[in-house]
Amino acid sequence: MHDADTLKQQLAARFRQLQGEHGLSAVQLEQRTTYDRKYVGWLRNRGRLPARHVLVALDEVFGTGQELADLGDEIRAAQNDERLRHKSGKLRQEPVLDHEGVDPTNRRELLQTGAISALAGVAAERSVEVASADLAPPKLIEIEEDIDRFAAEYTLHPHEILAPQVVQRWRQVDAALGRRGSWAARRRLTAAAGRLTYYLSRLAFNTGDFGSAVRLAALADQYAAQVGDQVVQASVAGMTSGVAFYRHQYDDATAAFTAADPPYLRARNAAYRARAYAATGNAELAQAELDTMWSSQLAGTPQPGDLPLSIAGAEMFTAVALVRLGDGKRAEPHARESVAGHEASGPAAHPEEFGHALCMLANTLLLRPHPEPEEAAALGRRALTVLNGHPTHTVAVRARLLGEDLRPFAAVPAVAEFRELAHTAGRPALTGAR
């Protein structure tokens, strides 16, 4: 085994090579991995070794499998070996082993030289490290309470308010996971990390940053798998499906659901599959998923992860699927029920789904034998108000598509006005999220 310094030189050289090949600055790597740029300096200059999950994230960016993470493991093993030999007073070359793979020195020497006593001393030090590394129980409870609050209030706050709060908590949990700690505390921290990472993924999705959304969702899934958090795993499947859907990869959108299917999200994820099947023109499978959606649990108390599907949301997804299949006559009453349901919810309405419901109702008016473009444009303008305080990329996209559908009626003043508004509805940003 190489010594730790040699291995750190190897890691630094390889990291500098990969960074140069990909032309990524420290700031760009921070944006792509969500980890502080200080780790770049540590790696390049053979400073402190970042936690394994930081190296895993860099491997993902560079496409190097687990090369950096594995090299980090080797360094830690070498450092640990050096510490143990130092503690036991045995700073010497590795022994030559006999044919049985055992040091030919009399085995009783281990007891006589106090090697085990020395390790017991190391164990005592580690015990103190484990105990002191845990977050204080009140702090951990505070983080978990914030996660529950995010679940309950996710749709109520503008992104520029919510995002900095999620980022701050995520950094706290990530830093705590990078230290030693008790298994009980690490399990709670891992669960918190999965849930917070999912919310970061959701926020990235809502701003149209699908690349970041996918990478964050993958990490959230890893954390969730470690603690068996089926709700977050199912939420990640829904996120993955959503990204594929808006990238027009409809087969991938339906194939994303391979993990847990908890009752809490069964209706929502069936709705995601229904719209994807409808986009491919498969009316039979789309209807089967809509049937699953309606027969599953609707609404309920929010849990950390994606939101449960409300009745108004189910009406919206039904309208989406039917509009995709060209059946405006059947879609219209569902769209109207969805709009009415969201209006009745007032400030508690799901802004993204409300925006889509308005656009779907507008689309049904254009699918009538005698289209009503002016009313459709008015509904489109209402949908764009969702972007005021609750910037949602998918609503902006849907509004622009509605504007294209209204192109044959561009001479109508109300239509022309809406088309201009929809065209200028840009991608929202997470103000203050850094």
Side-chain angles (χ1 to χ4, degrees):
M1 174 186 289
H2 294 297
D3 62 80
D5 284 341
T6 300
L7 290 169
K8 288 181 80 171
Q9 289 178 9
Q10 182 180 338
L11 176 62
R14 180 58 173 148
F15 177 79
R16 287 194 295 267
Q17 178 188 5
L18 290 168
Q19 189 182 11
E21 289 175 354
H22 289 78
L24 295 173
S25 68
V27 173
Q28 290 171 319
L29 284 172
E30 179 182 67
Q31 293 172 339
R32 295 197 181 195
T33 64
T34 74
Y35 291 113
D36 196 291
R37 71 194 73 174
K38 68 183 178 184
Y39 297 123
V40 172
W42 291 1
L43 287 166
R44 291 182 63 88
N45 303 315
R46 291 174 292 164
R48 292 172 56 189
L49 181 66
R52 192 177 198 279
H53 49 267
V54 176
L55 297 177
V56 168
L58 290 168
D59 275 325
E60 291 178 356
V61 171
F62 294 138
T64 47
Q66 297 188 54
E67 180 183 346
L68 300 181
D70 288 345
L71 191 49
D73 290 343
E74 288 187 54
I75 293 170
R76 290 187 188 88
Q79 290 173 333
N80 187 56
D81 182 66
E82 290 170 4
R83 282 194 296 267
L84 291 177
R85 282 188 286 151
H86 178 72
K87 286 288 184 181
S88 63
K90 294 294 185 179
L91 288 174
R92 56 183 173 84
Q93 294 182 346
E94 295 295 329
V96 178
L97 304 182
D98 62 18
H99 68 283
E100 294 180 345
V102 178
D103 187 341
T105 305
N106 193 313
R107 293 173 175 81
R108 287 178 297 179
E109 182 184 345
L110 289 172
L111 299 178
Q112 295 168 351
T113 59
I116 292 179
S117 296
L119 293 182
V122 174
E125 292 178 6
R126 295 295 177 266
S127 179
V128 172
E129 290 177 4
V130 168
S132 62
D134 280 349
L135 282 177
K139 178 62 68 176
L140 189 51
I141 292 171
E142 184 181 298
I143 290 172
E144 291 170 335
E145 287 177 343
D146 266 357
I147 292 172
D148 289 337
R149 179 172 60 81
F150 296 151
E153 301 178 358
Y154 175 77
T155 62
L156 304 181
H157 298 298
H159 296 160
E160 63 183 12
I161 294 176
L162 185 64
Q165 298 177 31
V166 177
V167 168
Q168 179 187 21
R169 287 305 191 194
W170 188 93
R171 291 193 185 283
Q172 283 182 301
V173 170
D174 182 64
L177 281 173
R179 301 190 294 266
R180 294 180 184 273
S182 67
W183 284 111
R186 288 189 68 81
R187 181 175 179 81
R188 290 171 68 182
L189 283 168
T190 301
R195 293 163 179 175
L196 289 167
T197 307
Y198 169 75
Y199 284 125
L200 290 177
S201 173
R202 186 79 218 179
L203 287 164
F205 176 85
N206 281 356
T207 64
D209 187 357
F210 292 161
S212 294
V214 169
R215 287 193 294 273
L216 288 162
L219 178 59
D221 190 57
Q222 289 176 313
Y223 284 133
Q226 290 179 32
V227 295
D229 190 337
Q230 292 191 342
V231 169
V232 170
Q233 288 182 289
S235 300
V236 167
M239 170 64 63
T240 305
S241 176
V243 170
F245 179 83
Y246 282 100
R247 285 175 169 171
H248 311 295
Q249 299 165 347
Y250 303 123
D251 289 339
D252 291 341
T254 57
F257 301 94
T258 58
D261 185 27
Y264 172 78
L265 289 178
R266 192 166 295 152
R268 175 169 291 282
N269 286 348
Y272 291 154
R273 291 191 294 271
R275 71 179 178 186
Y277 282 127
T280 66
N282 193 325
E284 182 178 356
L285 288 179
Q287 186 60 57
E289 293 293 351
L290 289 176
D291 291 343
T292 298
M293 177 191 73
W294 282 108
S295 64
S296 300
Q297 170 184 321
L298 293 173
T301 303
Q303 299 178 31
D306 207 348
L307 290 169
L309 190 64
S310 66
I311 294 176
E315 295 283 11
M316 183 275 292
F317 276 106
T318 302
V320 167
L322 293 173
V323 166
R324 284 275 182 172
L325 293 169
D327 193 343
K329 183 176 181 179
R330 287 180 59 205
E332 184 174 342
H334 291 287
R336 291 193 180 280
E337 285 293 326
S338 182
V339 169
H342 282 104
E343 289 174 336
S345 297
H350 191 305
E352 182 177 14
E353 292 179 0
F354 190 11
H356 283 293
L358 290 163
C359 287
M360 286 304 103
L361 180 55
N363 279 122
T364 65
L365 300 182
L366 298 181
L367 289 172
R368 285 178 172 179
H370 301 288
E372 298 183 25
E374 192 164 356
E375 186 178 348
L379 289 165
R381 285 197 302 275
R382 283 190 66 191
L384 287 176
T385 63
V386 171
L387 303 181
N388 297 329
H390 293 86
T392 305
H393 175 70
T394 61
V395 174
V397 169
R398 176 53 56 194
R400 285 195 288 271
L401 291 175
L402 176 61
E404 289 302 307
D405 292 337
L406 283 163
R407 182 187 292 273
F409 312 98
V412 178
V415 170
E417 179 185 352
F418 165 69
R419 279 168 50 82
E420 179 63 25
L421 289 172
H423 178 72
T424 57
R427 189 172 98 170
L430 290 179
T431 305
R434 296 183 186 279

